[in-house]
Amino acid sequence: MRVTEIFHSIQGESSFAGLPCLFVRLTGCPLRCAWCDSEYTFFGGTEIPQDAVLETVRSYGCPLVEVTGGEPLSQPEAFPLIARL
Ligand code: SF4
């Protein structure tokens, strides 16, 4: 799957705000919202096998993971990734 970045930070949104969180930012989005602040995710990224993505996630030992983008669900592989997470 195509990945823009995987990074550890603090969740800033939702009922999980303030908790340590691992972000998996997938590349690509078919939409073009006027307010988008993530245009850098539309293109590029790195092709990484799903097993390797999961291995990287595991290596952080962080129980909270967010799959984001771009629009992560534009990649069909996002669905099995989320199920496996
Ligand atoms: S990344 Fe999000 S905000 Fe930006 S165009 Fe896609 S759906 Fe809209």
Side-chain angles (χ1 to χ4, degrees):
M1 48 198 328
R2 188 151 284 273
V3 179
T4 294
E5 56 186 349
I6 298 175
F7 62 97
H8 194 231
S9 187
I10 304 295
Q11 177 58 262
E13 299 174 342
S14 80
S15 56
F16 296 103
L19 296 176
C21 181
L22 188 72
F23 293 86
V24 178
R25 189 181 299 284
L26 301 185
T27 305
C29 178
L31 307 174
R32 290 297 180 264
C33 304
W35 55 83
C36 184
D37 63 356
S38 305
E39 289 100 335
Y40 69 97
T41 66
F42 292 169
F43 307 104
T46 304
E47 195 65 30
I48 304 176
Q50 189 167 110
D51 285 347
V53 172
L54 286 166
E55 188 59 37
T56 300
V57 169
R58 256 186 230 109
S59 75
Y60 281 88
C62 181
L64 181 62
V65 179
E66 176 171 319
V67 180
T68 185
E71 171 43 72
L73 300 184
S74 66
Q75 288 193 47
E77 279 189 272
F79 294 92
L81 173 69
I82 292 166
R84 293 175 74 189
L85 284 168

